[in-house]
């Protein structure tokens, strides 16, 4: 299968590429891949572990190999021997110039960038360029995944965002203030009939207009915001309090991280989307809103190590108040990269089974899943398993 990555030179994308090629060569085992669990063994009939990669990026690097070397030198997040054995394949992957339209000030933290809007292109010209790039790569077994940096919360327009006709009018009239990079990529993907997964908190395909387009084109899509670390623990642990009828009085989450992701999120407008995504899960699980503090701070020396300190204040029998603490210390790209491959495989499976529109059953992979309020990790896994098994039998 083919995977087109938005943000192809980022650490998650390049780590996914390294892992995919290492799997193909039998260098590593399948640890970390949800799609390789026993309930999903039939997925290899629809989406085998064979990948070809392309993508867009705004950093003008020669190839994906140059990008992964930059990340590896900073993080040393896997054995160098693995990279050496797959390096030739990564040298063949060169990203096309992308757009960073309305992606906020944080994007400047990526260093030198070159974007389509720098060329003075209109919205329509930008999407035409994106379409041309993707069409030159894509076939019937292609999936598009957004792994770019987090955008600020966009300005919503009833006129341009609620119907596909309005969205097209926005493009034709070059109304850039209501457009963002992620929605332009999602529009092109769905228009081309390619499944789209949004691994970021950015708006992506969640606009009503783009949901309409997906239904009209018969294309599956899923998102938003990959659930990989502290929120994964939160949505796994919070149900325990609900099952035991223990009242959560307050939950403090303090996240620190470095690398390019941390740099971008150090800007308030970019951080806002991420905080909203992380903060909503407790209310959905508990049915009420405990007092919450959610902070994300840039800590340069950590690079891709993401550390979260969580403090939970809860009330039990006889009104007695107690406390629970945990620390999550993970390497962000390592926990995220296999999910990119999983999401691509499940979306291709969905397409081959004739699924269209939002695949809410893939909520297991996301902090803010579309079209469902189920954020409990246990319930999400049961939902994913049931959905897959039912379709696999058809």
């Amino acid at each position: 299968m083919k995977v087109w990555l938005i943000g192809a030179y980022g650490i998650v994308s390049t780590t996914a590429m390294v892992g995919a090629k290492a799997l193909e060569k039998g260098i590593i085992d399948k640890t970390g891949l949800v799609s390789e669990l026993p309930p999903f063994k039939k997925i290899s009939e629809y989406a085998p572990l064979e990948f070809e990669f392309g993508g867009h990026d705004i950093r003008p690097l020669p190839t994906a190999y140059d990008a992964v070397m930059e990340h590896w030198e900073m993080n040393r997040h896997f054995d160098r021997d693995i990279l050496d054995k797959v390096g030739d394949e990564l040298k063949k992957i060169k990203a096309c110039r992308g757009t960073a339209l309305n992606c906020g000030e944080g994007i400047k933290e990526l260093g030198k960038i070159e974007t389509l809007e720098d060329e003075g292109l209109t919205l329509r010209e930008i999407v035409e360029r994106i379409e041309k790039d993707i069409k030159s790569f894509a076939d019937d077994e292609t999936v598009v995944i957004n792994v770019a940096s987090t955008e600020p919360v966009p300005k919503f327009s009833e006129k341009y965002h609620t119907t596909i006709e309005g969205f097209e009018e926005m493009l034709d009239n070059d109304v850039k203030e209501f457009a963002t990079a992620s929605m332009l990529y999602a529009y092109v993907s769905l228009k081309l009939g390619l499944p789209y997964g949004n691994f970021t908190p950015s708006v992506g395909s969640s606009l009503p207009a783009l949901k309409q387009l997906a239904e009209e084109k018969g294309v599956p899509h899923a998102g938003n915001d990959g659930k990989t670390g502290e929120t994964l623990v939160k949505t796994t642990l919070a149900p325990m309090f609900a099952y035991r009828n223990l009242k959560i009085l307050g939950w403090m989450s303090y996240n620190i991280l470095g690398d390019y992701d941390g740099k971008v999120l150090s800007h308030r407008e970019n951080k806002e989307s991420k905080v909203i995504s992380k903060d909503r899960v407790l209310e959905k699980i508990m049915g009420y809103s405990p007092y919450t503090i959610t902070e994300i701070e840039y800590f340069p020396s950590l690079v891709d190590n993401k550390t979260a300190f969580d403090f939970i204040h809860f009330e039990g029998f006889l009104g007695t108040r107690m406390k629970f603490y945990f620390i999550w210390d993970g390497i962000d790209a390592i926990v995220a990269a296999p999910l990119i491959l999983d999401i691509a495989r499940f979306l291709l499976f969905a397409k081959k089974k004739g699924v269209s529109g939002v695949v809410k059953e893939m909520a297991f992979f996301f902090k803010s899943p579309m079209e469902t309020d189920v954020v409990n990790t246990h319930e999400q896994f049961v939902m994913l398993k049931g959905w897959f098994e039912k379709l696999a039998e058809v």
Side-chain angles (χ1 to χ4, degrees), residues 122-282:
T122 65
L123 281 180
R124 180 58 74 180
E125 289 169 336
I126 290 172
V127 298
E128 286 175 350
R129 180 78 72 85
I130 293 170
E131 182 174 345
K132 180 181 178 182
D133 294 337
I134 296 179
K135 285 177 73 172
S136 69
F137 170 86
D139 59 17
D140 289 339
E141 304 227 331
T142 301
V143 174
V144 178
I145 308 287
N146 181 19
V147 206
S149 297
T150 300
E151 298 170 351
V153 177
K155 294 172 61 176
F156 183 78
S157 167
E158 190 78 23
K159 180 178 181 180
Y160 297 127
H161 293 162
T162 56
T163 67
I164 192 57
E165 293 78 17
F167 193 89
E168 296 277 4
E169 183 181 343
M170 176 185 71
L171 299 180
D172 290 334
N173 293 338
D174 198 31
V175 189
K176 287 191 172 76
E177 63 181 297
F178 292 112
T180 69
S182 68
M183 65 176 74
L184 298 183
Y185 286 122
Y187 165 77
V188 173
S189 305
L190 300 174
K191 180 185 174 186
L192 293 176
L194 303 177
Y196 173 88
N198 186 17
F199 204 68
T200 81
S202 306
V203 63
S205 62
S206 62
L207 288 180
L210 299 183
K211 289 181 180 179
Q212 177 192 343
L213 179 63
E215 292 285 357
E216 289 179 359
K217 295 290 185 179
V219 189
H221 62 120
N224 300 310
D225 198 6
K227 185 162 70 169
T228 59
E230 187 260 351
T231 306
L232 174 64
V233 178
K234 183 181 287 186
T235 56
T236 304
L237 182 61
M240 177 192 74
F241 290 93
Y243 300 155
R244 288 295 304 270
N245 197 17
L246 299 170
K247 185 178 181 181
I248 295 177
L249 303 172
W251 193 310
M252 184 279 292
S253 303
Y254 189 79
N255 301 262
I256 54 175
L257 71 160
D259 219 335
Y260 290 116
D261 192 26
K263 285 184 177 181
V264 172
L265 292 176
S266 67
H267 290 257
R268 183 191 58 78
E269 59 180 359
N270 295 82
K271 184 191 299 186
E272 184 181 2
S273 298
K274 195 75 174 178
V275 170
I276 290 171
S277 180
K278 291 172 76 68
D279 217 19
R280 285 177 174 167
V281 295
L282 282 179

Side-chain angles (χ1 to χ4, degrees), residues 320-341:
T320 301
R321 295 185 173 188
M322 295 166 278
K323 306 175 186 71
F324 184 100
Y325 311 81
F326 73 83
I327 297 174
W328 168 272
D329 187 6
I331 299 174
D332 203 36
I334 296 299
V335 293
L339 300 189
I340 303 303
L341 307 181

Side-chain angles (χ1 to χ4, degrees), residues 289-342:
S289 299
Y291 177 76
T292 59
I293 297 173
T294 302
E295 294 289 344
I296 305 173
E297 297 295 341
Y298 178 51
F299 200 95
S301 60
L302 280 179
V303 281
D304 200 50
N305 280 68
K306 182 180 286 185
T307 300
F309 305 87
D310 279 56
F311 167 76
I312 305 149
H313 200 199
F314 66 99
E315 185 176 281
F317 196 49
L318 300 176
T320 301
R321 295 185 173 188
M322 295 166 278
K323 306 175 186 71
F324 184 100
Y325 311 81
F326 73 83
I327 297 174
W328 168 272
D329 187 6
I331 299 174
D332 203 36
I334 296 299
V335 293
L339 300 189
I340 303 303
L341 307 181
D342 285 328

Side-chain angles (χ1 to χ4, degrees), residues 43-100:
I43 200 167
S44 60
E45 299 173 18
Y46 304 90
L49 284 173
E50 298 171 1
F51 298 91
E52 183 178 340
F53 295 98
H56 281 103
D57 206 279
I58 58 174
R59 293 203 299 149
L61 299 174
T63 68
Y65 179 79
D66 299 277
V68 76
M69 277 301 302
E70 179 184 338
H71 295 301
W72 191 87
E73 289 292 345
M74 287 192 291
N75 293 282
R76 310 292 172 106
H77 52 306
F78 52 81
D79 287 344
R80 175 61 187 266
D81 182 58
I82 298 173
L83 177 55
D84 291 340
K85 289 178 179 178
V86 302
D88 288 343
E89 282 85 350
L90 271 69
K91 290 175 183 176
K92 300 173 186 176
I93 304 169
K94 180 174 175 58
C96 299
R97 180 181 295 191
T99 174

